[in-house]
Amino acid sequence: MQGWIPYKITVDNDGALCHWIDTFSIRYLEPFFAETISKMRSIPRRRIFCLPVSSLEMMKEWATVIDHVSPTSFIFHISRCGSTLLSQLLGLNEESISLSEVPIFDDILRLRYKLPGITEEYTGELLQAAMKFYGQKRFGTEKNMFIKTDSWHIHFYRELRTLYPDVPFLLLYRAPAEVFESHVKLRGTQTVPGLIEPEVFGFANDGIPDFHSFPAKVIASYLTAYITVASTDSLSVLLNYNEGMTAIMDKIARVTNIKYDTALRQKMEERTGYHSKYPGTVFSEQRDMPPPECLWDALDLYNQVELLRFNQTHCT
């Protein structure tokens, strides 16, 4: 299975199946990994006489012989806070695999909501197996692997920390009003009620926020989780978008013991001038809205997170 990766899990009445795709030695450079998968699927293939599909158990078995690098760090984020750009900057280093919101990682973490009887232990085994395929040493230069999670994966913190007890967890965030305004203009998956199971965010089925306030409540759920993690996990690092990407990258270098040479730093500086999701577009932003009342809880939580970040910065 060298060069192949599992890219999605489908569930039907007969159970779950794992779908595979050849990476064709494509580097993972797109803003989101779903775009990388689309690129792979567009490449003409040799004729094959069977579908590249397996059981989940086969994925676990095949992963045992994969030469891979282990996760260097996980990047959690509250969305619209610079995480996509951060992931791309980390990917400029040819020694680093940088993965941005890999769909199958989400399939695995949320599998228990779709398939009865799935245990946390089994989910962990599947996730570790999938990570090995994505950490394959395809070019011979790979030494690090950074995983930018989906924003709601902070609510799977406990499971991920159990699997990776010694890996730094980066907690990236931004002022809630700026995040909220971005989602008002163009909603992300997590801010549309019903697209992600409400239990993920801790919303009871009879207490799901209304459409307008839903993004604010999601943001508040993330910041609440950040407070818990940052207060108890010595390997967590709070990173505020307003620190600037250069300062954030320097923090990550210190935490992960990675060095940036002059040429790499120059490439990073050049890349920060362009839009993360549309790399050919010069980045600019404009803020128009005062924070609505539904965002007040998130604003209070943000201030608490900022205090924790201040303490982290001055105690290390």
Side-chain angles (χ1 to χ4, degrees):
M1 298 303 295
Q2 181 65 33
W4 286 70
I5 54 172
Y7 75 97
K8 71 175 179 179
I9 293 174
T10 55
V11 177
D12 59 24
N13 293 333
D14 296 322
L17 289 174
C18 181
H19 298 250
W20 298 80
I21 194 167
D22 190 342
T23 64
F24 294 98
S25 297
I26 290 175
R27 290 192 178 273
Y28 305 151
L29 301 176
E30 286 67 34
F32 298 98
F33 204 84
E35 298 172 47
T36 304
I37 292 171
S38 295
K39 186 175 181 180
M40 294 170 186
R41 296 187 69 181
S42 70
I43 297 174
R45 287 164 169 70
R46 298 181 298 273
R47 178 179 289 275
I48 56 175
F49 299 97
C50 63
L51 292 174
V53 175
S54 75
S55 68
L56 301 183
E57 288 299 318
M58 289 305 300
M59 178 179 69
K60 289 169 53 181
E61 182 176 337
W62 291 335
T64 60
V65 296
I66 292 293
D67 186 20
H68 68 282
V69 295
S70 298
T72 302
S73 183
F74 287 84
I75 304 166
F76 297 90
H77 60 99
I78 68 171
S79 85
R80 313 293 169 87
C81 60
S83 60
T84 302
L85 177 58
L86 177 57
S87 178
Q88 291 178 314
L89 293 177
L90 291 166
L92 292 173
N93 185 349
E94 292 189 356
E95 293 184 349
S96 296
I97 302 169
S98 186
L99 303 171
S100 180
E101 301 185 16
V102 175
I104 197 171
F105 296 167
D106 186 51
D107 289 345
I108 292 170
L109 287 171
R110 292 167 54 209
L111 188 60
R112 65 175 182 248
Y113 296 110
K114 300 176 175 67
L115 197 62
I118 295 296
T119 65
E120 185 178 311
E121 180 182 6
Y122 186 63
T123 296
E125 293 170 356
L126 292 176
L127 188 62
Q128 287 181 313
M131 290 280 183
K132 290 178 182 178
F133 281 99
Y134 280 81
Q136 287 182 72
K137 297 180 180 180
R138 297 184 300 144
F139 304 103
T141 59
E142 298 89 343
K143 296 180 180 179
N144 314 296
M145 181 166 68
F146 293 91
I147 298 104
K148 175 199 165 191
T149 68
D150 285 293
S151 63
W152 53 90
H153 289 172
I154 188 60
H155 294 306
F156 295 90
Y157 158 79
R158 184 175 55 82
E159 293 95 316
L160 291 167
R161 178 50 86 205
T162 298
L163 295 174
Y164 300 99
D166 301 318
V167 175
F169 281 7
L170 310 177
L171 309 178
L172 183 63
Y173 63 101
R174 186 179 185 178
E178 297 167 8
V179 178
F180 182 83
E181 181 175 346
S182 177
H183 281 292
V184 168
K185 292 177 179 176
L186 181 63
R187 295 228 173 189
T189 299
Q190 70 277 14
T191 59
V192 178
L195 293 186
I196 304 294
E197 296 83 3
E199 298 93 332
V200 170
F201 304 108
F203 302 152
N205 288 327
D206 59 350
I208 298 174
D210 62 75
F211 186 81
H212 173 71
S213 64
F214 196 85
K217 300 303 181 184
V218 169
I219 295 167
S221 79
Y222 294 159
L223 294 173
T224 298
Y226 274 25
I227 291 168
T228 300
V229 173
S231 299
T232 58
D233 189 331
S234 62
L235 287 177
S236 67
V237 181
L238 290 165
L239 303 168
N240 191 324
Y241 171 85
N242 68 15
E243 296 178 68
M245 277 299 153
T246 300
I248 287 173
M249 291 298 294
D250 286 342
K251 276 189 177 181
I252 293 173
R254 290 194 294 270
V255 170
T256 59
N257 295 316
I258 291 177
K259 307 295 183 184
Y260 310 137
D261 61 25
T262 302
L264 181 57
R265 281 188 176 276
Q266 184 174 349
K267 288 170 66 177
M268 289 178 175
E269 289 291 339
E270 292 173 356
R271 182 63 189 84
T272 56
Y274 291 86
H275 200 290
S276 61
K277 298 175 179 63
Y278 311 103
T281 304
V282 177
F283 180 73
S284 65
E285 59 182 345
Q286 179 178 348
R287 303 184 187 102
D288 306 310
M289 300 170 50
E293 184 176 348
C294 65
L295 201 59
W296 290 357
D297 286 345
L299 292 172
D300 179 62
L301 292 165
Y302 172 80
N303 289 333
Q304 295 179 51
V305 173
E306 279 290 84
L307 180 59
L308 287 168
R309 181 173 68 89
F310 178 85
N311 291 335
Q312 277 190 352
T313 302
H314 290 82
C315 292
T316 55

